[in-house]
Amino acid sequence: MGLKEIPLFSALTDRMKWLSARQKVLSQNIANSDTPGYEAKDLKDQSFKQMVAKSTGPTMNMSATSDKHIVTRESGEFRPKANVESYEVTPQGNAIVLEEQVMKLTETQIEYQMTTSLYKKQIGMLKTALGRGR
């Protein structure tokens, strides 16, 4: 039995994946802060209801078997969406507010550190329960 089969570790791992994907999207927003017409993107928040309803069975992935198939660039399980809550747009049509993006990036980093701390703490408790902890 692997750690991913334990629901708590699975949920923590999914959260870390989501936070990593969000950091990537926010970094792209910052990198394109001077690109005319670029709109800020963000990931859809994870919900507890979706996490519980998540299937644990085998998954199927799409694959391109012909040159006529369209392959999406976003292959991860999290998809970015356009952020419509931006309150400032430059004359070139760019809707990136660097301060807002940096705040979201910092928030994501803090949540990632908290999640990894919880993961390490649970590993320590598991080792203690098995008699291998200090």
Side-chain angles (χ1 to χ4, degrees):
M1 178 176 193
L3 288 178
K4 288 192 102 183
E5 295 174 25
I6 299 173
L8 177 64
F9 288 107
S10 177
L12 289 172
T13 302
D14 285 347
R15 184 68 179 168
M16 287 190 282
K17 285 180 185 176
W18 184 86
L19 290 168
S20 294
R22 186 176 192 219
Q23 185 171 8
K24 181 180 175 184
V25 170
L26 294 173
S27 297
Q28 288 174 348
N29 287 345
I30 292 171
N32 288 300
S33 63
D34 290 333
T35 304
Y38 187 84
E39 293 183 16
K41 296 176 183 164
D42 201 352
L43 294 182
K44 183 179 172 187
D45 287 333
Q46 285 183 309
S47 73
F48 182 74
K49 187 176 180 180
Q50 285 179 333
M51 189 172 65
V52 171
K54 186 177 177 182
S55 171
T56 58
T59 59
M60 297 177 65
N61 295 324
M62 293 176 49
S63 64
T65 57
S66 169
D67 292 339
K68 295 179 182 176
H69 291 168
I70 299 172
V71 179
T72 60
R73 292 187 323 185
E74 304 293 334
S75 59
E77 61 185 294
F78 306 111
R79 305 248 186 259
K81 64 175 182 165
N83 187 5
V84 294
E85 298 173 4
S86 185
Y87 53 86
E88 186 175 311
V89 178
T90 62
Q92 292 89 14
N94 187 317
I96 305 290
V97 180
L98 280 177
E99 293 83 5
E100 179 184 7
Q101 298 302 314
V102 171
M103 281 178 40
K104 287 181 179 180
L105 201 59
T106 303
E107 174 187 295
T108 302
Q109 183 181 12
I110 291 170
E111 286 186 32
Y112 191 87
Q113 288 174 348
M114 183 182 71
T115 307
T116 54
S117 294
L118 283 171
Y119 194 91
K120 288 178 184 175
K121 193 60 119 176
Q122 294 300 319
I123 291 287
M125 291 174 63
L126 196 58
K127 284 182 177 178
T128 301
L130 294 173
R132 297 179 187 165
R134 294 181 187 191

